[in-house]
Amino acid sequence: MKNLFSNFKGDLFGGVTAGIVALPLALAFGVSSGLGPSAGLYGAIFISFFAALFGGTNTQISGPTAPMTAVSMVVIAGIIAINDGDINKALPVILTVFLLAGLMQVGLGLLGLGKYIKYIPYPVVSGFMTAIGVIILVTQIFPAVGYYPKEDIALVAEFKPEAEELILENILRDEAGEGILVLEDFEETIKRAGETSQQEILEEAKTLAAKEASGVVGTIKVLPRALENINWLELILALATIIIIYGFKRITTTIPSTLVALLIVSGVAYGFGFAYRPIEKIPEGLPIPNMEIFTGFDFSSLSPYIFTALTLALLGAIDSLLTSVVADNMTKTKHKPNKELVGQGIGNSVAAIFGGIPGAGATIRTVVNINAGGKTRLSGMLAGIMLLIILLALGPIASQIPAAVLAGILVTVGIGVMDYKGLKAIPSLPRDLKVGPIKLSSEVIVMLIVLVLSSVWNLVYAVGIGLVIASLMFMKKMGDLTAERSDVKSLLLEKSWADEAKFPKSLQEEVFIKHIKGPLFFGSTSDFQQLAKQIPPSAKSVIIRMDRMQYIDQSGLYALEDVLVDLESQGISVLLVDVLNQPRYMMERIDIIPDLVSKEHIFDTFDECVAWLKETMDVQPSPVEV
């Protein structure tokens, strides 16, 4: 506790400043997610406080971020669509998914998996981050121009026939579940269909229209209608916000330009009484926990989203730990990755219970905190408290913020979140993959696949596919490299290692040497299995030098076993030199040692092996050796 208040003044300034910076972003991310500004604010409050309290990075400021919001937006839209467009009906399931993601993060930290996050390939992260930017930019076009598909009467009318079909399907499904749907009697069906009002059909059509216009693909499809129905006031407010954000940064970076833009544009719009569209009303008073998460828990509703929750957990972990590295570089400290994951998980879990969207460590807010004097976890806790005070004192005022202003803020976020470093590197990356006559870069291919699939299809699946492709390409490279370096040749043809120079010439056609360089794993087994076929009939022994084979997996182990069995069947003895700990342990576990290679045929050094061969084969020393 003493250490917590050791830098109270600096932490107070840092926390308050970070909280002020977080305010417009929290509201914007909440609106973008589909749950409203209060969800973004609640997420910022609870994640910031609890991630700082229990986390492993003293100066980290956490809250909703662009990547987490983009994935959350997909989750929310999908669950709302399943629940007939009723957000109140869908909310418990949505928050349960977020709660599960938080608990998974806690689990990742407790299992000590924080240190493995760094192994996610950069092209996957780069493609994903750029896709996040594209998604935010494209999906903010409609609110920036004041177009809302649900309010486009002509568009909604197109979906009325489909809405009627869907309502009838739901009636039939309900009747089938109740056991009253029979071919002989459709009276109940006709009765229920007749009770369907035009208002219900209209609401269903609005839901379908909103679904049709959602995401990058939906926005592009409906874009011509949006451009025909531009609300020029909303567009001017959005453009003014963007101009102020970029313009004010040139004057000073001491005061957050996002906050300046929010205050100026909102103040002018409200002060002059412009007929703008405000954001959703922010509830007054303290946040209240949503107990339906627990009382109405239904595993069947949650089970389709377990993988999505895991993706949110992993994404939040990556996002947070990358920010932790930035904080370490600025403060010359060392964060605790597993403890940080536990803290982030607790923060996201508590936020979900109170109706907040998930988040992670936020780089900009963390940098602001450090520059303002924040040094301990108290700064992050104070940032959360600052946002809570703003919620309680200024909630009704914040509800008057124009929706177009938050759209303008998100446009700048989308531009900023893209990985320009990765995009600029595309022309210079080595073209290591040949497709017919064309040479391509495997790194660029992975990045573009993740970018395109994330933008037009599904963020969750795109990352999974990117990881699989990147892993397969890595395996191929490792396999090719291992095969390239591991040719089996006689000493007359193969480039000898230094200690092989004095190998007796009389044995050079009877004893062959195999150098295994690098790991023997499933990506290199097919090439290794050619070993037995490369040994000529004149061979009596094969020396396998393993001092550069640090690792062998199960596939490599069985490939090695197959080769040893083949060689043994040909009457060729196998001698192993300098078997390292991990490969030896694996070979002993399935009895390759001593069943196929006796311990007498395993040597610590090449010289010991040569001495044994001389003695066994009764080789007379040459005049040079004497």
Side-chain angles (χ1 to χ4, degrees):
M1 186 64 69
K2 183 179 177 181
N3 291 335
L4 189 64
F5 293 96
S6 60
N7 183 51
F8 181 75
K9 184 179 178 181
D11 290 336
L12 179 62
F13 283 128
V16 170
T17 306
I20 292 171
V21 171
L23 174 63
L25 294 174
L27 295 171
F29 287 137
V31 171
S32 176
S33 73
L35 290 186
S38 58
L41 202 51
Y42 293 164
I45 291 168
F46 291 107
I47 299 170
S48 180
F49 185 87
F50 287 100
L53 179 60
F54 295 104
T57 311
N58 286 339
T59 54
Q60 181 110 290
I61 303 294
S62 303
T65 62
M68 293 293 279
T69 302
V71 176
S72 300
M73 182 171 38
V74 175
V75 176
I76 292 164
I79 297 176
I80 289 176
I82 291 173
N83 287 274
D84 305 321
D86 188 344
I87 191 169
N88 293 319
K89 185 179 174 183
L91 188 59
V93 180
I94 293 169
L95 297 181
T96 304
V97 173
F98 294 162
L99 174 61
L100 180 60
L103 294 176
M104 284 179 172
Q105 279 188 317
V106 173
L108 292 174
L110 293 177
L111 292 172
L113 300 179
K115 60 185 176 182
Y116 296 108
I117 299 295
K118 63 184 178 183
Y119 293 111
I120 293 179
Y122 180 81
V124 175
V125 177
S126 176
F128 180 79
M129 294 304 294
T130 302
I132 294 297
V134 171
I135 291 169
I136 291 174
L137 281 173
V138 175
T139 56
Q140 291 310 303
I141 292 175
F142 288 172
V145 300
Y147 176 78
Y148 295 87
K150 280 188 173 184
E151 298 171 9
D152 187 339
I153 297 173
L155 178 65
V156 171
E158 293 177 11
F159 288 91
K160 279 190 175 181
E162 187 178 342
E164 292 176 357
E165 289 178 15
L166 191 58
I167 289 172
L168 181 58
E169 284 179 15
N170 290 335
I171 291 173
L172 294 172
R173 192 180 298 112
D174 291 342
E175 290 184 353
E178 295 168 10
I180 61 173
L181 180 63
V182 292
L183 290 174
E184 293 83 2
D185 186 6
F186 279 97
E187 287 185 9
E188 183 65 23
T189 306
I190 295 169
K191 178 184 175 184
R192 292 188 183 184
E195 292 173 353
T196 303
S197 67
Q198 287 299 313
Q199 184 61 34
E200 289 176 309
I201 296 172
L202 180 62
E203 290 301 319
E204 188 64 45
K206 285 182 178 180
T207 301
L208 292 172
K211 184 179 178 181
E212 176 72 10
S214 65
V216 172
V217 175
T219 301
I220 294 172
K221 285 164 66 175
V222 185
L223 186 59
R225 298 190 64 89
L227 297 178
E228 291 173 3
N229 296 276
I230 293 177
N231 184 317
W232 293 102
L233 173 61
E234 302 286 329
L235 179 59
I236 290 169
L237 293 176
L239 291 175
T241 303
I242 296 169
I243 292 169
I244 292 174
I245 288 174
Y246 287 121
F248 195 79
K249 284 181 181 178
R250 298 193 173 190
I251 300 171
T252 178
T253 55
T254 305
I255 303 173
S257 62
T258 305
L259 181 65
V260 172
L262 177 71
L263 293 175
I264 291 176
V265 181
S266 300
V268 170
Y270 182 77
F272 283 89
F274 294 152
Y276 63 85
R277 184 190 188 97
I279 61 174
E280 294 176 30
K281 190 177 186 302
I282 298 174
E284 298 179 27
L286 291 168
I288 301 172
N290 190 317
M291 301 311 295
E292 278 191 73
I293 295 176
F294 307 106
T295 58
F297 179 77
D298 180 10
F299 183 75
S300 61
S301 299
L302 177 65
S303 56
Y305 301 99
I306 290 176
F307 181 66
T308 304
L310 178 60
T311 304
L312 270 170
L314 291 172
L315 176 59
I318 298 167
D319 211 359
S320 299
L321 295 181
L322 288 175
T323 302
S324 295
V325 172
V326 173
D328 285 348
N329 292 334
M330 292 183 69
T331 59
K332 308 303 178 188
T333 56
K334 182 68 176 175
H335 74 280
K336 299 174 182 177
N338 295 318
K339 188 178 179 183
E340 181 62 30
L341 292 188
V342 171
Q344 292 291 334
I346 292 172
N348 279 314
S349 300
V350 176
I353 293 171
F354 283 88
I357 59 174
T363 306
I364 295 174
R365 281 159 266 179
T366 299
V367 170
V368 166
N369 175 43
I370 294 170
N371 289 337
K375 289 184 179 179
T376 76
R377 64 185 69 249
L378 182 63
S379 58
M381 296 162 66
L382 288 171
I385 293 171
M386 177 69 185
L387 288 168
L388 179 60
I389 293 170
I390 292 173
L391 169 67
L392 297 176
L394 304 175
I397 298 173
S399 298
Q400 300 301 317
I401 295 172
V405 170
L406 296 188
I409 291 172
L410 284 172
V411 167
T412 63
V413 171
I415 294 171
V417 81
M418 290 186 185
D419 181 35
Y420 297 102
K421 182 179 179 181
L423 293 172
K424 288 178 182 177
I426 288 177
S428 57
L429 288 173
R431 299 183 180 183
D432 54 351
L433 192 65
K434 193 171 183 180
V435 181
I438 304 172
K439 287 187 175 181
L440 303 169
S441 167
S442 59
E443 307 272 328
V444 174
I445 289 174
V446 171
M447 187 191 75
L448 292 178
I449 287 173
V450 174
L451 169 58
V452 173
L453 292 182
S454 296
S455 301
V456 303
W457 183 41
N458 187 294
L459 282 162
V460 177
Y461 297 152
V463 171
I465 291 171
L467 286 172
V468 169
I469 295 174
S471 300
L472 290 173
M473 287 183 172
F474 172 76
M475 294 170 207
K476 184 181 184 305
K477 288 178 184 177
M478 290 298 295
D480 292 346
L481 186 61
T482 303
E484 181 184 335
R485 294 182 175 181
S486 301
D487 291 337
V488 181
K489 301 175 182 177
S490 71
L491 282 177
L492 295 175
L493 301 175
E494 185 172 358
K495 185 177 180 181
S496 304
W497 288 1
D499 56 357
E500 297 168 1
K502 295 182 179 180
F503 191 79
K505 291 183 179 180
S506 57
L507 294 179
Q508 289 184 5
E509 289 301 324
E510 296 181 356
V511 179
F512 282 70
I513 298 176
K514 165 69 177 173
H515 300 145
I516 303 182
K517 305 169 187 176
L520 183 58
F521 70 112
F522 57 89
S524 60
T525 53
S526 59
D527 294 299
F528 179 79
Q529 284 173 323
Q530 300 300 315
L531 170 62
K533 299 177 182 178
Q534 295 177 25
I535 304 299
S538 62
K540 293 181 179 179
S541 298
V542 173
I543 300 173
I544 301 181
R545 302 199 63 175
M546 307 180 76
D547 44 328
R548 297 186 187 178
M549 189 185 82
Q550 305 89 347
Y551 175 80
I552 185 170
D553 71 355
Q554 192 172 9
S555 300
L557 193 65
Y558 292 135
L560 176 62
E561 182 182 37
D562 291 342
V563 167
L564 294 177
V565 170
D566 286 344
L567 292 175
E568 185 181 45
S569 67
Q570 297 175 46
I572 300 173
S573 62
V574 176
L575 310 175
L576 304 181
V577 176
D578 196 7
V579 185
L580 301 180
N581 291 337
Q582 192 272 348
R584 181 161 189 152
Y585 172 77
M586 294 289 285
M587 292 162 71
E588 288 175 347
R589 294 295 292 177
I590 66 166
D591 296 325
I592 288 178
I593 300 173
D595 291 357
L596 292 176
V597 182
S598 66
K599 293 186 178 180
E600 292 75 20
H601 287 180
I602 302 175
F603 304 92
D604 292 333
T605 66
F606 183 70
D607 290 341
E608 289 179 12
C609 180
V610 172
W612 184 87
L613 280 170
K614 288 180 178 179
E615 182 180 340
T616 305
M617 295 187 173
D618 193 24
V619 176
Q620 299 298 321
S622 65
V624 177
E625 294 176 35
V626 176

